[in-house]
Amino acid sequence: MSYNLLKGKKGIIFGALDENSIAWKTALRVHEEGGEFVLTNAPVAMRMGQINKLAEQTGSQIIPADATSLEDLEALVEQSMEILGGKIDFVLHSIGMSINVRKGKHYTDQNYDWTQKGTDVSATSFHKVMQTLYKKDAMNNWGSIIALTYMAAQRVFPDYNDMADNKALLESIARSFGYFFGKDKNVRVNTISQSPTPTTAGQGVKGFDGFISYADKMSPLGNASALDCANYIVSMFSDLTKMVTLQNLFHDGGFSNVGVSNEVMEAFVKD
Ligand code: NAI
């Protein structure tokens, strides 16, 4: 169902890799709601070629950019404004990667070169994106910037590894930059803390199947899907949420406030 919530709004969407990606579902929903955008991803992700299909479906152009490269980000922001014919109303940062996770390095045995790379890609890139937009005065008044995060930033999930630290930094950057973006340009900055979701990044986490069904059984509403997340992002890009900023918004079916559920208890009760 479409409500035309984003009619006339222009944006940049980072991180659509394949049909499962949260950014992919978001691009489709933003398009349905009347928003226009540029799609971007790391040049290496482009080579997989799937993003072309999304661009066709949504009438969007693609600009490759490594989100850790200021040069790429500057070119991306300038070209996006040219293509879209003006300043930007919404930005989705949907980027995450840990080499320690990917290569099965335990949290207590990190390769710090990989740790640093993961922090740059997963957290500092959000600062770089916002700093580039800020310096170029590329955001419209009352624009909205969102990054995606996970609850391992607040609570221990042992196999989430160094991504937990990256997410904690990402959430802090949202608050710190959000202050200046709010004061100076009336732009809001928030993070959405999403349920475990079966995507390429999600499935990279060790024991993901157990993780996702545990969260589902703990949450009174069950896990939020990628499409649910896309819908929430649309609402956060719309004018209906213009006074929400500096928040970490849990989008997790209630998981974050549950101590234990009956379903999970049952697994421990002896007959
Ligand atoms: P995904 O694997 O589809 O998306 C991750 C994206 O990051 C990919 O498109 C990848 O190409 C991009 N990326 C990696 N390095 C990059 C770089 N240097 N420059 C630009 N882009 C780069 O997976 P998903 O799940 O859609 O991830 C999106 C966001 O949601 C991430 O921040 C992730 O941590 C977060 N998230 C995911 C959850 C899950 O269970 N899948 C749960 C909570 C948050």
Side-chain angles (χ1 to χ4, degrees):
M1 205 190 300
S2 167
Y3 307 89
N4 256 345
L5 280 174
L6 303 179
K7 194 162 190 280
K9 294 200 185 291
K10 304 163 196 302
I12 302 177
I13 297 181
F14 289 79
L17 181 67
D18 58 32
E19 283 179 346
N20 299 319
S21 300
I22 298 167
W24 188 290
K25 307 269 191 230
T26 305
L28 291 175
R29 284 294 293 120
V30 168
H31 177 62
E32 280 172 12
E33 294 294 339
E36 285 173 66
F37 48 84
V38 161
L39 292 166
T40 181
N41 209 327
V44 58
M46 303 276 165
R47 284 204 278 281
M48 300 177 193
Q50 296 199 43
I51 199 171
N52 294 324
K53 195 171 113 195
L54 180 64
E56 267 170 44
Q57 266 178 291
T58 57
S60 313
Q61 294 202 34
I62 306 167
I63 303 176
D66 176 347
T68 65
S69 156
L70 282 173
E71 209 185 333
D72 283 11
L73 291 174
E74 279 164 18
L76 168 69
V77 170
E78 272 164 29
Q79 287 171 33
S80 297
M81 286 197 287
E82 271 169 38
I83 290 168
L84 298 168
K87 290 196 194 186
I88 308 296
D89 301 292
F90 61 85
V91 176
L92 175 64
H93 177 286
S94 186
I95 299 173
M97 191 277 301
S98 158
I99 309 178
N100 287 306
V101 167
R102 207 189 271 170
K103 303 218 175 188
K105 266 287 200 196
H106 195 262
Y107 186 77
T108 56
D109 180 33
Q110 293 188 37
N111 172 322
Y112 292 112
D113 290 335
W114 296 349
T115 308
Q116 215 171 4
K117 179 75 188 151
T119 304
D120 201 13
V121 170
S122 308
T124 315
S125 66
F126 191 39
H127 195 288
K128 290 178 177 173
V129 166
M130 287 196 281
Q131 185 166 295
T132 307
L133 292 162
Y134 186 88
K135 283 190 170 171
K136 291 195 178 293
D137 195 18
M139 292 297 294
N140 268 325
N141 247 354
W142 300 108
S144 176
I145 301 175
I146 294 283
L148 292 172
T149 187
Y150 182 59
M151 211 183 64
Q154 287 80 33
R155 301 200 186 157
V156 176
F157 291 82
D159 290 329
Y160 207 66
N161 209 321
D162 57 336
M163 277 306 286
D165 305 328
N166 294 336
K167 291 305 192 190
L169 177 58
L170 179 86
E171 291 175 18
S172 176
I173 289 171
R175 285 186 293 271
S176 301
F177 218 118
Y179 173 83
F180 296 104
F181 243 136
K183 277 278 187 197
D184 300 342
K185 319 229 184 226
N186 286 333
V187 168
R188 59 199 191 276
V189 181
N190 296 286
T191 48
I192 293 178
S193 187
Q194 164 68 7
S195 294
T197 314
T199 61
T200 304
Q203 277 160 337
V205 178
K206 198 173 134 208
F208 184 77
D209 290 348
F211 206 51
I212 196 168
S213 48
Y214 171 72
D216 197 43
K217 291 204 165 32
M218 280 284 280
S219 314
L221 299 180
N223 286 335
S225 68
L227 178 59
D228 292 323
C229 191
N231 284 326
Y232 191 34
I233 294 166
V234 164
S235 76
M236 288 305 299
F237 285 165
S238 82
D239 291 335
L240 300 178
T241 54
K242 67 195 266 254
M243 295 308 285
V244 182
T245 196
L246 311 186
Q247 302 300 314
N248 181 41
L249 304 162
F250 287 103
H251 184 255
D252 63 359
F255 178 82
S256 45
N257 268 345
V258 172
V260 74
S261 66
N262 291 131
E263 287 89 333
V264 170
M265 276 289 271
E266 271 163 26
F268 294 91
V269 174
K270 295 200 179 86
D271 294 326

